[in-house]
Amino acid sequence: MNIFPAIDLLDGRVVRLAQGDYERVTVYHEDPVAQAHEFFDAGATWLHVVDLNAARTGQPHNAAAIAAIAAEMPQLKMQVGGGMRNLETINTMLEAGVTRTVVGSKLALDPAFAKEAVASFGADALVAGIDARDGVVAVDGWTKMSSIPAPELVGELSSIGLRHLVYTDISRDGMQTGIHPGLYTAVATAANFPVIVSGGVASLADIKAAKELGPKLIEGVIIGRAYYEGEIEIRDAVEALA
């Protein structure tokens, strides 16, 4: 299991959104590379990076910042999401040094594209990103709700060829309300492979709750606002999950 500290990028700055609302933005750092250094120094081996501009528009906006992190810290593995809607963008990110890319909206709206991406880059270069509110998939940076039931999409991932999944519980994201262990048990069971927990992590108790589910169900945990608000230290989270 791994801790994935989150760096959400909006106009080049490290921010967090409350429940995906672009009108409820808190800026935490002006320098993404410096923030990545802080995470690495605290013992993190992975980063979870989201280009929020690209998630909303489909056009890469923070690629330079992402490439700078990869160039400055090649020893820090990174999964990047936001705007991964064509093979060229995915390829650009991988060539820049990103370990794997998160396919979200495009996965929900065009599963054939995800299958093509797996064929082009391999399963370990891709992560399914499923963001759901009340069991329904959200797209375009959570600005739109689809009519796709999240359990249905999760159940299709293996047949598409995907082996990694970030499942975000939007209702809890950025709210520090705690995770829903039963939800992630159901999601991992439906996917038939371990899932990365995203949304609601508020304390070390949530990290420990995820660990108790075991590595067959949980690949790792993304930590965002709880770190930035001083509720969790990354070093403590890494040790708790080890």
Side-chain angles (χ1 to χ4, degrees):
M1 296 186 192
N2 291 295
I3 292 295
F4 293 78
I7 293 181
D8 290 358
L9 298 172
L10 187 66
D11 299 327
R13 301 183 296 178
V14 180
V15 309
R16 295 297 289 174
L17 308 181
Q19 294 184 298
D21 187 345
Y22 283 76
E23 300 302 318
R24 299 164 67 191
V25 180
T26 304
V27 177
Y28 287 103
H29 211 301
E30 296 288 340
D31 186 345
V33 175
Q35 183 62 74
H37 269 291
E38 290 181 22
F39 287 141
F40 179 74
D41 291 344
T45 57
W46 277 93
L47 287 181
H48 178 76
V49 180
V50 179
D51 183 336
L52 291 173
N53 297 92
R56 183 161 55 173
T57 66
Q59 301 298 317
H61 187 87
N62 294 285
I66 292 166
I69 294 172
E72 181 85 9
M73 311 197 69
Q75 67 274 53
L76 189 58
K77 290 176 281 189
M78 183 170 24
Q79 63 183 25
V80 174
M84 302 298 162
R85 300 179 192 176
N86 57 66
L87 297 181
E88 292 75 17
T89 299
I90 293 174
N91 187 62
T92 297
M93 286 291 100
L94 295 174
E95 287 189 341
V98 168
T99 309
R100 58 196 194 191
T101 59
V102 181
V103 180
S105 296
K106 191 72 171 179
L107 167 66
L109 302 174
D110 185 7
F113 168 79
K115 188 173 290 188
E116 183 181 7
V118 171
S120 298
F121 304 110
D124 284 333
L126 297 162
V127 183
I130 296 180
D131 307 322
R133 189 194 305 274
D134 299 325
V136 178
V137 176
V139 297
D140 293 348
W142 305 356
T143 60
K144 301 175 184 176
M145 296 303 297
S146 73
S147 59
I148 303 167
E152 179 180 302
L153 184 57
V154 170
E156 295 174 355
L157 297 180
S158 289
S159 63
I160 292 171
L162 293 162
R163 298 291 180 268
H164 303 283
L165 166 63
V166 173
Y167 189 97
T168 303
D169 184 355
I170 295 175
S171 65
R172 294 171 182 256
D173 188 79
M175 304 308 292
Q176 294 177 259
T177 53
I179 68 169
H180 186 338
L183 170 64
Y184 286 99
T185 298
V187 169
T189 301
N192 202 31
F193 57 79
V195 63
I196 298 172
V197 174
S198 174
V201 175
S203 68
L204 286 178
D206 291 312
I207 306 298
K208 294 173 181 176
K211 182 180 180 180
E212 288 177 3
L213 295 177
K216 291 184 178 181
L217 296 180
I218 303 299
E219 180 181 346
V221 179
I222 293 173
I223 298 177
R225 188 178 293 272
Y227 162 77
Y228 292 108
E229 295 290 342
E231 299 297 328
I232 301 178
E233 293 295 331
I234 295 301
R235 189 173 302 280
D236 293 339
V238 170
E239 292 176 357
L241 204 58

